[in-house]
Amino acid sequence: MNVLKAHLRITITTLLARGASQHEIAQRTGVDRKTIRRYARAAAANAPMVATGSAAMAGEMPPPRPPGDDGIVAAAVVPHRVHPGPATSACEPHRSWIEAQVALGRNAVSVFQDLVDQRGFTHQYNSVKRFVAALKARAPERFDVLEFLPGEEAQVDYGQGAPTRTASGKYQRPILFVMTLKYSGKCFRKVVWKTSQVVWAQLHEEAFRSFGGCCRYVVLDNLREGVVRPDWYEPGLNPVYAAVLAHHGVVADPCRVRDPNRKGTVEAAIQHTQTTALKGRTFETLEAQNAWLVEWEARWASPRIHGRKKRQVSELYREEQPHLLPLPREGFRYFTQGVRTVDDAGLVQIEGAYYAAGEAALASVVTVRVYAQAIEILDRRGVLLRRHQKALRKGAFVMAASDRLFNPSRETARVLARAAQIGPQTAALAQVLFARVGRPGQRALQGLASLPRTYARTDIEAVCARLLAADCISYTAIKSALARRAEEARAAADAAPLTQSGPGIRAPLEYQTFWDQHAADEASRTPVGASA
């Protein structure tokens, strides 16, 4: 339950005592009816009552008789009224047993039923109800006064702004964002129509820039825009929000679950803004309300005397400002983050386009960050796998050449480069072949690039030069010409007479010298006395 100001609590209690309805009190104070209902229940539980069916009622004296016709009351007729002491509940003899049952979480109805069945209780249910309510009544909670150094802490929260005209012509209340520096009480206020993880982070950056620096800690509750996994020991922050705070050197300090009083300073600032700056006002545009909040902060909120420190907020802020952390030189690059599954082509789909996931295994889950002009793909540990420029249209495939699998239909450039390694004539013939036939001629190019496995490069170059001159561009023609050339060379070799000497035959004396040297080397390596 939000902590109300003292004057609001007194007003609600007074109106309840006068019998005003909860609806009327809500209209007059601006407090939610659920909060008023809690105060009404607390007042009813703490009100002194006489227990129904208790023994005290037996000794209570009857009311005095009305005056006679002459207006004179006879002293002998109206006895002196004896004021009884405090009423004793009929449940008092069973106090220890009832306390044990209430400690187990049982309600008044179940306690009353067991009292009747097991303990012979003969009084009414109202006695048990009031007794149990008194046991459950708690003393007011005591709060600690938190003190922090200048520039150490800021507190943030959302509230509701003043009614503002929408595009449809109706008035609606926008969302009010407030960040308050704990030491000085200086506030940043802004209203927005919609909130999200990115909007929440952007409002923080705007607040830091309005203050001219950053605090060291930001205290927030567990709303989804900031904390995606509430946990006292290790809460999970919104990744965009965590990145923005890290960019500014700020640490988030979420409140414990169901403990909003830890950020009572910003709670009071929101209530002050709503009841003083915005109460009873309406605005035609969101920009007009934001302009009014800036003007009101400068004109009234900053010069006011801080209620507890008894000094001007603006004076405290001037004292705190030198202790704020410096702002980063560059603004934060905002992104939206999600997870994707790598498909069987090694791609992930983002906003209708497909991006290569790099070394990520197929069917694995990766983290994607979508920036304004770029896409980042990270593994589950946060290691960057790939960064791509954002696709301009849906259905596009974005990947580097190194991310593509081998596909013969994409090997034209590589095959042409292999043909060029054979010689300039072969390269020229390959270019003409591909220009005339196109992609189907790639198979012929692959065969042309593989010819050095069988034929000499000089023969391939000679054949390609002759076919280029004759304008006979065909892999079959090249292969046939090389086969005829090889057959002619073999026929010429077979027709030549055998001879013992020639440019390709070594002299017998060279062979004899080689074997003598080999035998001498072996003899020098054999140990003395070893058997042959």
Side-chain angles (χ1 to χ4, degrees):
M1 181 172 69
N2 292 335
V3 179
L4 296 180
K5 291 286 187 179
H7 70 280
L8 286 176
R9 293 199 301 269
I10 295 173
T11 302
I12 293 174
T13 305
T14 304
L15 291 175
L16 287 172
R18 292 179 179 178
S21 66
Q22 296 178 10
H23 180 73
E24 179 185 355
I25 297 174
Q27 285 185 332
R28 297 180 64 177
T29 62
V31 179
D32 188 81
R33 279 190 288 174
K34 294 181 180 178
T35 305
I36 298 172
R37 191 177 302 119
R38 294 192 188 99
Y39 280 96
R41 291 173 180 171
N46 296 327
M49 298 181 182
V50 179
T52 302
S54 61
M57 297 184 65
E60 191 173 354
M61 299 299 293
R65 294 177 59 186
D69 295 337
D70 55 356
I72 300 175
V73 181
V77 177
V78 182
H80 178 68
R81 182 180 179 88
V82 179
H83 296 281
T88 302
S89 173
C91 299
E92 191 63 36
H94 310 284
R95 172 179 287 275
S96 59
W97 183 85
I98 296 176
E99 288 178 345
Q101 301 305 309
V102 172
L104 295 176
R106 302 185 66 188
N107 57 22
V109 175
S110 62
V111 172
F112 171 72
Q113 293 172 355
D114 285 356
L115 281 172
V116 174
D117 294 340
Q118 302 176 11
R119 293 177 171 263
F121 191 75
T122 58
H123 299 277
Q124 301 297 320
Y125 164 69
N126 284 343
S127 297
V128 179
K129 182 176 71 173
R130 287 190 294 269
F131 192 83
V132 171
L135 291 178
K136 290 184 177 181
R138 296 180 296 177
E141 186 178 0
R142 182 176 179 179
F143 297 98
D144 190 14
V145 177
L146 301 179
E147 293 288 344
F148 293 94
L149 298 174
E152 182 178 1
E153 180 180 296
Q155 299 179 7
V156 292
D157 200 6
Y158 274 146
Q160 279 191 335
T164 306
R165 190 185 296 274
T166 63
S168 62
K170 298 181 179 179
Y171 283 95
Q172 292 184 1
R173 293 183 180 271
I175 300 171
L176 172 65
F177 172 85
V178 178
M179 176 182 286
T180 304
L181 296 177
K182 175 63 179 174
Y183 178 80
S184 63
K186 178 70 173 177
C187 291
F188 168 82
R189 303 172 179 87
K190 187 173 182 179
V191 289
V192 293
W193 282 124
K194 293 183 179 180
T195 182
S196 65
Q197 294 182 350
V198 174
V199 171
W200 173 257
Q202 288 175 337
L203 290 171
H204 277 69
E205 186 172 25
E206 290 186 40
F208 293 147
R209 295 197 176 277
S210 71
F211 293 145
C214 309
C215 57
R216 287 158 180 79
Y217 296 93
V218 170
V219 177
L220 67 154
D221 55 17
N222 293 275
L223 77 167
R224 292 288 296 177
E225 284 80 358
V227 181
V228 296
R229 190 186 69 256
D231 190 294
W232 169 238
Y233 301 103
E234 191 174 358
L237 297 180
N238 156 21
V240 181
Y241 181 49
V244 168
L245 294 184
H247 181 71
H248 290 80
V250 183
V251 178
D253 185 14
C255 299
R256 292 186 299 177
V257 179
R258 294 182 296 276
D259 184 23
N261 296 318
R262 169 64 180 84
K263 55 179 183 59
T265 300
V266 72
E267 294 278 357
I270 290 176
Q271 192 172 33
H272 180 225
T273 305
Q274 292 172 335
T275 57
T276 308
L278 302 178
K279 187 69 173 179
R281 298 180 183 272
T282 58
F283 297 89
E284 295 301 312
T285 62
L286 208 63
E287 292 75 14
Q289 185 168 173
N290 284 323
W292 164 246
L293 289 174
V294 172
E295 179 184 351
W296 180 79
E297 170 69 23
R299 177 71 176 85
W300 297 104
S302 289
R304 79 185 191 276
I305 302 299
H306 195 285
R308 185 170 56 84
K309 296 187 177 182
K310 310 305 179 186
R311 295 171 60 190
Q312 274 190 326
V313 172
S314 57
E315 179 185 351
L316 292 169
Y317 173 62
R318 286 193 296 270
E319 183 179 322
E320 182 176 23
Q321 196 170 21
H323 298 274
L324 296 174
L325 298 175
L327 294 170
R329 293 184 178 181
E330 297 182 357
F332 183 75
R333 295 172 56 239
Y334 288 93
F335 60 86
T336 56
Q337 182 166 308
V339 293
R340 298 291 188 276
T341 302
V342 183
D343 63 14
D344 55 2
L347 306 173
V348 293
Q349 182 179 353
I350 305 173
E351 296 182 357
Y354 298 87
Y355 301 86
E359 296 80 12
L362 302 183
S364 64
V365 178
V366 295
T367 302
V368 298
R369 290 182 175 180
V370 182
Y371 294 86
Q373 301 296 333
I375 298 290
E376 286 185 354
I377 302 175
L378 305 90
D379 63 12
R380 299 297 287 178
R381 299 172 297 172
V383 178
L384 181 64
L385 298 175
R386 287 293 183 273
R387 180 183 286 109
H388 303 284
Q389 287 296 318
K390 205 170 184 181
L392 300 178
R393 59 181 178 82
K394 292 185 177 181
F397 292 84
V398 181
M399 63 179 68
S402 58
D403 290 327
R404 293 183 179 274
L405 300 176
F406 173 78
N407 191 331
S409 63
R410 300 196 191 101
E411 295 299 304
T412 303
R414 189 179 66 86
V415 175
L416 288 173
R418 287 175 55 196
Q421 292 176 355
I422 300 174
Q425 300 298 326
T426 307
L429 188 142
Q431 291 287 350
V432 174
L433 178 62
F434 185 74
R436 290 185 180 181
V437 181
R439 194 170 65 184
Q442 185 167 299
R443 300 190 186 99
L445 293 179
Q446 291 174 346
L448 177 60
S450 302
L451 288 176
R453 300 176 184 176
T454 307
Y455 304 101
R457 294 177 182 269
T458 54
D459 293 342
I460 298 173
E461 277 286 282
V463 169
C464 288
R466 183 158 53 87
L467 293 178
L468 276 173
D471 197 23
C472 182
I473 310 301
S474 169
Y475 171 74
T476 303
I478 299 172
K479 188 72 179 292
S480 299
L482 286 172
R484 289 194 301 271
R485 191 181 182 91
E487 185 64 27
E488 292 173 357
R490 283 194 296 270
D494 292 341
L498 296 176
T499 178
Q500 295 292 330
S501 61
I505 302 175
R506 294 179 181 270
L509 183 59
E510 293 184 22
Y511 290 102
Q512 183 62 39
T513 303
F514 171 78
W515 289 112
D516 291 344
Q517 183 64 39
H518 178 70
D521 293 341
E522 286 294 325
S524 63
R525 287 195 294 268
T526 303
V528 179
S531 58

